[in-house]
Amino acid sequence: MKQKLIAETLGTAFLLIGVIGSGIMGETLSEGNTAIALLANAIATGCILYGIITCLGPVSGAHFNPAVTLFFALRGVHAWSAFLPYVIAQVVGALLGVWAAHVMFDMPILQVSDTMHRTGFAQWSSEIIATFGLLFVIVGGVVHKPDTVPPLVGLYITGAYWFTSSTSFANPAVTFARGWSDTFAGIAPQHIGMFVVMQLIGVGVAYLVLPLVFSKAD
């Protein structure tokens, strides 16, 4: 278990380094072109997901996401006794990743996202769809061809940055940690709660629907 928790912490940290770091770099180099900044953010996030899932999947399952851990616990694949330790490791790793990105770009380590307001029904509904879609490609990959899960997740998130109005957070730990970065990839803390609620609804929808689609979803 110790090895698994270290893997979840490290992997989630690198995920947030990718999300926050590429957001800072993209915004800096794009000189105000939001589309270019988002493209850089999406590509970097997809790439880091491919790397960390490939390397750490055999160690911990490469969840890096409380929504994924919850889904597999509900399906009886992940032990409930390991649920809370995994979530704690993911949240700690996410915060460490945010702070590491701030250090790399010579920014204040401790920040609060004051400028990135993400709210409203459109973005809330996007988080349900984004989370359901993430679980859809994970389960489909696991059932049909497990070695495709890393590229499936990387490509899905890269695309979902663009086809969801929320830019596909789809991860409660990532959502929470991004509230403490006043950068391109941040989210105002007052909007974190509703994003997480929508993500949990997405887990519930996946729990009900995916076993009907994939007969071996358990």
Side-chain angles (χ1 to χ4, degrees):
M1 177 58 73
K2 180 179 178 181
Q3 188 179 41
K4 292 180 179 180
L5 295 179
I6 292 173
E8 285 295 303
T9 303
L10 182 63
T12 313
F14 265 101
L15 172 57
L16 268 296
I17 290 171
V19 171
I20 299 297
S22 65
I24 296 169
M25 182 70 83
E27 187 175 44
T28 300
L29 298 181
S30 66
E31 298 181 345
N33 189 322
T34 304
I36 296 299
L38 183 63
L39 180 62
N41 201 197
I43 292 173
T45 301
C47 288
I48 193 62
L49 279 167
Y50 181 90
I52 59 178
I53 294 171
T54 299
C55 293
L56 296 175
V59 180
S60 67
H63 294 187
F64 315 134
N65 185 339
V68 174
T69 304
L70 176 60
F71 175 82
F72 284 115
L74 289 170
R75 297 308 308 172
V77 177
H78 186 81
W80 278 108
S81 61
F83 173 75
L84 188 57
Y86 259 55
V87 171
I88 292 173
Q90 291 156 0
V91 171
V92 170
L95 287 171
L96 291 175
V98 168
W99 296 336
H102 292 165
V103 170
M104 286 194 300
F105 287 92
D106 195 25
M107 302 178 71
I109 296 174
L110 300 179
Q111 303 180 23
V112 176
S113 182
D114 292 326
T115 57
M116 297 302 291
H117 294 277
R118 304 175 190 266
T119 187
F121 181 76
Q123 294 199 51
W124 297 340
S125 62
S126 288
E127 282 302 293
I128 298 175
I129 294 169
T131 306
F132 173 81
L134 174 62
L135 292 167
F136 169 75
V137 299
I138 290 172
V139 174
V142 169
V143 169
H144 295 304
K145 199 170 183 182
D147 62 350
T148 64
V149 172
L152 283 173
V153 172
L155 290 170
Y156 174 79
I157 292 297
T158 301
Y161 260 68
W162 285 85
F163 66 70
T164 63
S165 63
S166 64
T167 67
S168 186
F169 282 46
N171 183 329
V174 166
T175 304
F176 175 75
R178 287 170 68 167
W180 313 110
S181 182
D182 195 22
T183 62
F184 180 80
I187 176 173
Q190 64 266 32
H191 302 314
I192 291 173
M194 189 58 75
F195 264 50
V196 172
V197 169
M198 295 301 111
Q199 291 157 6
L200 294 178
I201 292 174
V203 173
V205 174
Y207 173 76
L208 295 174
V209 173
L210 294 185
L212 302 177
V213 179
F214 304 109
S215 59
K216 297 178 181 180
D218 291 334

